[in-house]
Amino acid sequence: MSKATIPKPRRTKSQIAEIKARFLAHYPQAKTELNYRNMYELLVCVMLSAQCTDKRVNLVTPAFFARYPSVQALAQADIAEIKDLIKSISFFNNKAKYLHQMAQQVLEHFQGKIPTTQAELKSLAGVGQKTANVVLLEYCQANVMAVDTHVFRVSHRLALSNAKTPEKTEQDLQRVFVTELSNLHQAFVLFGRYICKAIKPQCSQCFVQEFCHKDKTRKKPKPKAKITLQ
């Protein structure tokens, strides 16, 4: 995509630098809240977390990994059993199929090891760019940005992007921040999850409130008609 087609940020360089510094200061060692022990488990967790909460995923994965402790075990699994283990997860039918296919592909094409490049990860069933980037930035500390619902909301409220898709928002954030993208992604997720919520944001706890334009984009209520006593 050419530079001319990428929406320009609404923030100045100094404002962007200040926002970046504050997020890194407030979340110096931000990590995912998904529980995992290796890259295989991380990939499974991230795939399960699509349109589902990390809390719910963490409730399901202990039994899942006890039953399928490796790619090899998952590749040989019965899909009906996978579905039964993850049935409390959103879209569990499709996710069960993707998990099974992913494991088979890893055995067939990557000698049983989870690949560590974006292109290779995206070649796996059920793995899009966001999932691939989350795995890479979390496990490999790769300098990439992933845009989920929290990152999308925060970046738009802070006027760091006006793009209408996660992919273009990702491009904006990578362009304005350039470095330390993995830490910033995790920081934005935590900030969006606990402070800058979609509903009832905790504005009193916000450390970048002066940069937020949420109130400016909200429709103002019509003034109430004055009531006079007769």
Side-chain angles (χ1 to χ4, degrees):
M1 179 177 288
S2 65
K3 292 183 179 180
T5 62
I6 300 176
K8 294 182 179 180
R10 300 175 184 177
R11 293 296 174 202
T12 64
K13 289 184 178 180
S14 61
Q15 289 174 330
I16 291 168
E18 181 63 24
I19 291 170
K20 180 178 182 178
R22 291 191 195 182
F23 270 93
L24 294 176
H26 277 78
Y27 302 100
Q29 296 179 323
K31 303 290 287 183
T32 182
E33 293 186 313
L34 294 168
N35 296 329
Y36 71 95
R37 294 169 296 186
N38 51 55
M39 198 171 186
Y40 157 67
E41 291 189 0
L42 174 61
L43 178 57
V44 170
C45 287
V46 177
M47 291 176 68
L48 290 174
S49 71
Q51 296 182 302
C52 186
T53 65
D54 288 1
K55 182 178 180 180
R56 168 56 53 186
V57 173
N58 288 337
L59 290 173
V60 167
T61 50
F64 184 94
F65 293 133
R67 181 69 180 84
Y68 310 119
S70 65
V71 170
Q72 290 79 3
L74 182 57
Q76 297 170 4
D78 180 80
I79 293 182
E81 291 183 2
I82 299 175
K83 290 180 181 180
D84 188 60
L85 282 169
I86 67 169
K87 61 187 177 184
S88 65
I89 297 284
S90 58
F91 306 105
F92 70 93
N93 282 309
N94 285 336
K95 289 179 180 179
K97 295 175 184 177
Y98 288 144
L99 288 169
H100 190 244
Q101 292 173 15
M102 175 275 291
Q104 292 180 328
Q105 289 173 322
V106 170
L107 287 182
E108 183 178 355
H109 301 295
F110 301 104
Q111 295 76 51
K113 296 182 179 180
I114 305 298
T116 56
T117 70
Q118 185 191 79
E120 290 173 331
L121 282 167
K122 287 172 64 177
S123 73
L124 301 175
V127 179
Q129 183 154 313
K130 187 202 78 173
T131 296
N133 283 3
V134 170
V135 171
L136 292 174
L137 67 87
E138 169 66 23
Y139 199 83
C140 305
Q141 288 75 55
N143 188 48
V144 294
M145 175 62 68
V147 177
D148 66 359
T149 181
H150 300 299
V151 177
F152 188 89
R153 178 173 64 255
V154 170
S155 61
H156 283 70
R157 284 181 177 174
L158 294 179
L160 294 167
S161 174
N162 58 7
K164 298 187 182 299
T165 66
E167 293 78 15
K168 290 183 178 180
T169 301
E170 177 189 316
Q171 292 176 358
D172 279 351
L173 295 177
Q174 290 184 153
R175 184 165 53 86
V176 298
F177 287 135
V178 184
T179 62
E180 299 179 279
L181 298 178
S182 61
N183 290 342
L184 287 167
H185 163 80
Q186 305 287 23
F188 272 42
V189 169
L190 295 175
F191 180 71
R193 183 173 292 159
Y194 297 110
I195 297 178
C196 194
K197 301 178 182 180
I199 300 174
K200 296 183 179 180
Q202 307 298 305
C203 297
S204 62
Q205 300 177 35
C206 181
F207 52 85
V208 285
Q209 192 167 16
E210 69 266 38
F211 299 110
C212 180
H213 76 139
K214 178 177 180 291
D215 290 333
K216 297 177 183 178
T217 59
R218 183 187 299 165
K219 291 183 179 179
K220 295 182 179 180
K222 294 181 180 180
K224 295 181 179 179
K226 293 183 179 180
I227 300 175
T228 56
L229 298 175
Q230 298 296 327

